[in-house]
Amino acid sequence: MSVYSALQVSPDRLFPADPGLRRLCNQLYAEVKSAPIISPHGHTDPAWFADDMAFDNALSLLVVPDHYVLRMLYSRGVAFEDLGVPDREGRVRVTPREGWRRFAENYYLFAGTPSRLWLDTTFQRVFGLDIQLTADSADHYFDHINECLQQPTFRPRALLDRFNVAYIATTEHALDPLTHHKKLVADGLSRRITTTFRPDDVLDPDFHNFAANIERLGELTGEDVASFSGYLAALRARRAFFRSMGATATDHGPATPFTADLDVNDARRLYQRCCAGTASADERTLFRGHMLTEMARMSIEDGMVMQLHPGSCRNHNQPLFALFGFDKGADIPRRVDYCEALRPLLNAVGNDPRLELIVFTLDESNYARELAPLAGHYPALRLGPPWWFHDSPEGILRFRHAVTETAGFYNTAGFNDDTRALLSIPARHDMARRMDCRFLAEWVSDGRLSESEAMHLIGVLTNDLVTEAYRLGDRSSSR
């Protein structure tokens, strides 16, 4: 294999070229390089950990579920069918090897992207590959990775141990039976591998089959969801069920962060109209906004951390969505305003320190303008880390520069990877740690921090803030 170019992942990657800054970066990095990974929000499949079965092949693990990879390839004319992506009917046109070859032929497209950084790191550090992925090396990669995946050390639970993942949360909708998490509870793993309550399916009147979902919610909880009070009781019961499976957080993904705080009679009337399918678009928006405030109140009651992930225009490419369904790389960030949108919720509950509301954004222009000032004032509000399109080296630096002067470090929530790609988790967390080292080193060089402060802060940013924000207690060190 010596004819191929070497796969090089620099030990000083992402650190500045200046010798003094690089020295300090390495000193800071040494403090957290081996720290346990805490992954409190993501979309890995709980079946992986419950069943602990071997992964099928390189394509189905590394390419098909990764919408970062799919969107880049599709943008350059690579058809999903040629990558082995199943359509809505589950049909696949090519073999895994053929799909992998197509991916390898186009791997050059990822130069300069975070995906390239994560994938190269995974190829080298996880699979021990030492040559670059190209069309010529495609079969070598495919065979080597598949051989590795059949070994016990590459089973999902073994990988969590290998990656030093102390805590990981998946995300499930409110009606999910949590079958896999029940097994994890039975296996004594629910403090390490837990779920997150994502109730969009029963809070958003525009969600597919909303009325039928409400009926199912009533069946699952034994509550009379014909009434608004019964509906709220059912939501409380469902939250309690998720907590019994180990959940510490909820997650909400509306298009905008619009909130409302309605009189109970107005909320009751809106609920009836939404369930009947007669609510107007404005009324559906109003109901969705009111229910975010209700969720915040319930978080105060039961202690669950509330995450808000607005700002994605989902399934922008409708023809592609019709063929392949959700999460195929056609979601687009949109402009989002938070100041007025969050005012009703924050005026209702934002002054209560018992609420932990972690807000994310895909609209970076908002960091300094609204989100940092809001987080720098309301006791209940923290800023989530750069998300989705911005969990990248430059995105992390932009975030730190935009928010730190106003919100400080301690009104942020650490890092989370928000990924479906299990094998990229260590590379993503390593990237975040390196960029925080870089930021702190630059501030030391500017005289804004002392070296001892930076040494303390790198541990805070890596471990302490995420543990505190997600109320994990001793979970972050449990194995």
Side-chain angles (χ1 to χ4, degrees), residues 342 346 350 357-359 367 370-384 399 403 406-408 410-413:
L342 289 178
L346 291 174
L357 173 62
I358 303 175
V359 178
Y367 281 139
E370 296 178 14
L371 281 175
L374 285 167
H377 173 75
Y378 281 98
L381 184 61
R382 286 189 193 235
L383 297 186
F399 172 80
V403 308
T406 301
Y410 290 89
N411 283 313
T412 61

Side-chain angles (χ1 to χ4, degrees), residues 49 58 90 92 97 105 123 165 183 193 219 252 286 300 323 334 340 377 382 384 400 426 453-454 468 471:
F49 311 116
V92 177
R97 184 179 295 276
E105 291 168 7
F123 293 150
V165 175
K183 188 173 189 305
I193 308 166
E219 294 170 359
H252 309 267
L286 188 60
I300 292 174
L323 288 172
R334 66 196 308 169
E340 292 303 321
H377 173 75
R382 286 189 193 235
R400 292 289 179 209
E453 284 178 307
E468 178 184 307
R471 296 174 174 170

Side-chain angles (χ1 to χ4, degrees), residues 374-411:
L374 285 167
H377 173 75
Y378 281 98
L381 184 61
R382 286 189 193 235
L383 297 186
W387 166 48
W388 206 339
F389 291 85
H390 308 304
D391 59 343
S392 63
E394 296 299 331
I396 291 173
L397 277 185
R398 290 193 297 268
F399 172 80
R400 292 289 179 209
H401 282 294
V403 308
T404 305
E405 288 185 327
T406 301
F409 293 108
Y410 290 89
N411 283 313

Side-chain angles (χ1 to χ4, degrees), residues 1-2 4-8 120 123-125 127-133 140-141 144:
M1 307 303 292
S2 60
Y4 299 112
S5 298
L7 176 61
Q8 297 179 340
D120 278 357
F123 293 150
Q124 185 185 77
R125 301 298 170 85
F127 294 107
L129 288 156
D130 58 5
I131 59 172
Q132 292 182 5
L133 177 61
H140 171 68
Y141 261 72
H144 177 80

Side-chain angles (χ1 to χ4, degrees), residues 159-180:
L159 286 172
L160 291 186
D161 291 341
R162 180 177 173 182
F163 297 160
N164 197 19
V165 175
Y167 178 88
I168 188 169
T170 66
T171 305
E172 280 72 46
H173 281 300
L175 303 180
D176 194 292
L178 301 186
T179 303
H180 302 301

